[in-house]
Amino acid sequence: MNGVVESAQSEAARPLVKAGVASLGVSALGIVFGDIGTSPLYTLKTVLTLTGGAPTPEAVLGVLSLILWTLVIVTSIKYVVFAVSIDNDGEGGILALMSLLGIKKHQRPAIVAIGLFGAALVYGDGAITPAISVLSALEGLNIATPAFEPSVLPAAAAVLVALFAIQPRGTSWIGKAFGPIMSLWFLAIGALGVWGIARHPAVFAAVNPVYGLHYLLTNGYTSFLVLGGVFLCVTGAEALYADMGHFGSRPIRLAWFGVVFPSLILNYAGQSALVLDGASTSSNIFYRLCPEPLLIPLVILATVATVIASQSIITGAFSMTRQAIQLGWLPRLRIIQTSEQGYGQIYVGVVNWLLMVVTVGLTLFFGKSDNLAAAYGIAVSATMLMTSALLFIAMREVWGWSLASAGLVAGIFLCVDAAFFAANLAKILDGGYVPLLLASLVYGVMLIWHRGLQAVTQAIAERLIPVGEFMASVEARKIPRVPGTAVFLTRTSRDTPPVMVWHVKHNRALHDYLFVLTAVTQSVPWIKDSERLSLTEVAPNFWRATAQYGFMERPDVPALLSRARDQGCGLQLEDVTYYVGLETVVSREDGKGLPAWEEALFAAMARNAVHVTDFFRLPPDGVVEIGRQVAI
């Protein structure tokens, strides 16, 4: 296994849904919809800027029509209707979807590549979302008075540093407030939208998709650039799918169709109506909807809402990291459980501080939300394109749809996502390279770590000794048998584990009771208790066990031993010593191993990874580590 979690929470404590659907829907407003819910702060202004010059009524209605129908097709239909219906034992997101399809056929490098790079792009999104959201919120101060303008950037940096600084405390202490605050936010933006629509009710004409199509077909390259800006209105849709495991599909659908979707439509329509009524687009249009006496309270509410949206993205990055570690795609990191009530409440220090450095750096480098918008869309659009490709395969293999049916539905999603991705590619030189560079680095780390693990496993497997041969050697050499139980943790699923051989070689003794444990992470989030443990007695008082875990679960080996004894394994649990191997990676002398640079990077990650002992919750005073060199 490949991760570390600290918590007093019981093993495999899968979050149980006990609250009502309505209550969970309110909670989902804060956890799931923060990102997409704060997009009105910057989306319309960014899009109208891309139209060039003062926007004409045709441009305003065309842009609004594109935004409305993008919300319908991408978020409402693709994600809320289809994607959340394809879950991996209740879990969503591109990694869970990749794992679901991976268990259908084990050799699927294309699916693995799509899923991993899509997951890597989430980290780019996690760095940019807090920066653009907080900057957009605080830029409302410029409308209140220009005197605030020099303070916006330092204030944004301070808010972001504070946001990341509170992460070690966990979010459970403010989690209960997320839903009500975001409920107030959606109520406020919906009401502001109604006020704006009253100024120019003709804006409702944009419901007709002809306005959007006409704008796309008659404005050449400008409409192509505008499409990239329009995409900003759905940047939180992928996070919606990834967070499904916390609430289930029904609360998410209720919150979306009952609150979020109507509020977003009303606000975008209200902003557009204001522009049609002659409002300037030189500053943030969103705040021009607000009556002047309420402007400062709205800025405060917007800042809090963007912090909540940013918190959701950061928590998503933590969850993504845990899944990747469990599946063997990232080095072991220390993961701290910050709440006994919510399994999703975790903290990953390395990820948190790296994200903070990148996020604050991006904020200071780009300076304004308009500039950051260029870097934003490409990460999410690429992830959505990859999700659509996986959805097509899931429709065929999970739902059993015909090629024609799956091709028709997924083909529409792929065409829409491909158009958005192509439009966002135009932003590469303006900042779009940032998330692609970040994703490439994360993807590279994933591949190197996984290849290194495979090489270590293969190197160890080359020198395995059959159990019969090993036990005969112990008897022939008159190796003393001492009282108690020895538990050997190993990657190997057959023969004698190397750590047992090393123990006998160095200590010249062996316990009376031997228990060899291999923990396997499956490509599903959870494993039934009845399927957890399989036991085989390979020699007298010598048991080999395989423990199955889902990628959302955490092992507890002492508890597993009690389960093994209940299944007939005669262990002496009052006297147990745990043995684990401590491997030092070196280069193969025959030149047939990994390239030198790849081996060096893997060795560096292995040295800095948290030791596997912690992950299994072994008692510190009962563990013996035995080291050896492994040539890869």
Side-chain angles (χ1 to χ4, degrees), residues 18 272 275 311 325 329 569 611:
K18 296 182 179 180
S272 301
V275 177
Q311 176 63 61
I325 289 172
W329 290 100
C569 185
H611 197 274

Side-chain angles (χ1 to χ4, degrees), residues 280-296:
S280 171
T281 59
S282 59
S283 59
N284 197 313
I285 306 170
F286 174 84
Y287 286 110
R288 292 193 176 277
L289 278 174
C290 184
E292 189 171 343
L294 298 177
L295 183 57
I296 297 301

